[in-house]
Amino acid sequence: AIWAKMDKISAELFAMTYGAIVVQLLKDFEDVETVNVELEKMGYNIGMRLVDEFLAKSAIVSCHNFRETAEVIGKIAFKMFLGTTAEITNWSTDSRQFSLLVGDNPLIDFVELPPAYRDLVFCNLLCGVIRGALEMVQLKVECEFVRDVLRGDEVSEIRVRLLEILQEQYQEEE
Amino acid sequence: MTSVQKRMVAESSQEFLILEMIHYCLRQSNNSRTEAQEKLEEIGFHVGERLVERLTRDRPRLLEDLDVVKFICKEFWSEAFNKKQADKLQTNHKGIFVLHDYQFRWLTHVSPSNSISSSSPSSSSSSSSSSSSTSMAAAIPNEEYLIFTSYPCGLLRGVLSSLGIKATVRAEIPALPKCSFTIHIQNRSS
C-alpha cells in the first residue's frame, strides 16, 4: 500500500547511475576491496538519511523485537524504496541473525561483472543502507553479502547480525 | 529485454543516491567544488550516452539539431527528470539552445538547510531581507547550487554526443527550483 503512495521513477536511470558510481569508485581506488568498503560507507550515509523518510511514510512506530524488524526491512522497506521485496530466512537460534534473500534487484539490471572484478561486491551499498538505517533506530548490526548472483550464486543473500541494542541517549532539557 | 511494464523505483531512492554521489565527489576532491563538478559532469556524460541508446533504439534517426533538442525536451526530460517536459525552448538558430524548466524536479528538494555546505564560507553576507516575497533560497548565491546540476548537465551532454552532436552544456539557476540549461553546439559528427 505504501508503494502505491510513493513517487516513482523508471528504474533505468537509477540503475545506470548506480553502475556509474561503482565504475567511478573502481577508477578512483583501483583496489576492489577498498571499493567494497567505500560502497558500504556510502550506503551507511544514505541509510542514516533515509530512515526519516521511511518512518514518516510507513507510519511504523516501533518494532517489538528483531524478528519484527527483519520483516519490516524485507517486506516494507525494500518494497518502498526499490519496488521489490526480500525474503527473510535462515534465522539463527538466538534470533540475532537472519538473511535477506534479494531475488529481484533493480540495481543489477544492466550489470555483468567481468572476471577481473569477481571480488567486487557490487551491491554492497545495500548493506550500508541497512546498517545506517538500523543504527538510527538504536540497532547496531553488521551486514554482508554471503551469496551474490553476480558472482554465480543462484540467489543474493545478505546476512544481518545484531551486535547490540544501543541505549537511547536522552538529553537533559531544562 | 522483453519486460512489458517498465520497472520502477522510488524517486527518493534516486535522490538519496545522487545526493550521496555528490557528497562522495566532494570528499574525493577535498571539497573542491570545481573538481567535484567536473567529476559529476563526467559521470553524467557516460550515463547519458548509455541511457539514450535505450531510449532511441526503436525510433528513426534524428537528423536535424532541432529535432535532437526537441527529443531532449520531450522524451528525455520526462524519462530522466520525472514525468514532465522542459517548459520552454529558446534558440538563436546558430547552435545555441536554452532549455528552461520552471520546476526542475532535481532541485525541488534542495533548500538552504540541506544544501551541501560542508566547506561553504560565511557566504550569507548577502542580506536575506532584500526580497520579501521570495524564499530564503534566493539569498544564497546560485553557485552554491550548481553542484546539483553538474550531473544533469553531463547527462545532457552524453545524450547529445550519442546522437551525434558535440556540445557544451551549462546550467543556470535563477531561483530555486527554476533551472535553465544552455546547450552550445560545437559541431556535428557525420
Side-chain angles (χ1 to χ4, degrees), chain A residues 7 11 17 28 81 104 109, chain B residues 7 9 11 13 24 39 151:
Chain A
D7 280 325
T17 301
D28 289 347
F81 290 105
D104 177 40
D109 276 351
Chain B
R7 189 205 272 271
V9 295
E11 184 181 21
S13 302
Y24 168 78
K39 201 169 219 173
Y151 183 59

Side-chain angles (χ1 to χ4, degrees), chain A residues 46-140:
Chain A
I46 292 175
M48 291 202 302
R49 290 186 213 113
L50 164 149
V51 75
D52 284 333
E53 172 161 0
F54 175 74
L55 295 174
K57 293 220 168 109
S58 67
I60 285 169
V61 186
S62 67
C63 294
H64 296 100
N65 54 46
F66 199 46
R67 282 188 176 257
E68 216 175 296
T69 310
E71 290 295 326
V72 166
I73 295 171
K75 297 284 163 322
I76 304 178
F78 264 75
K79 185 75 191 174
M80 190 167 150
F81 290 105
L82 295 177
T84 182
T85 56
E87 191 189 328
I88 308 298
T89 178
N90 295 345
W91 277 99
S92 64
T93 44
D94 63 0
S95 293
R96 289 173 77 90
Q97 291 187 26
F98 65 90
S99 291
L100 288 153
L101 300 185
V102 190
D104 177 40
N105 178 358
L107 286 176
I108 60 170
D109 276 351
F110 310 103
V111 183
E112 247 175 82
L113 281 192
Y117 293 124
R118 56 157 303 138
D119 292 328
L120 176 70
V121 188
F122 187 83
C123 290
N124 219 22
L125 185 107
L126 290 180
C127 291
V129 172
I130 296 170
R131 182 169 71 91
L134 286 181
E135 197 164 306
M136 298 303 279
V137 293
Q138 318 299 334
L139 297 171
K140 202 165 172 56

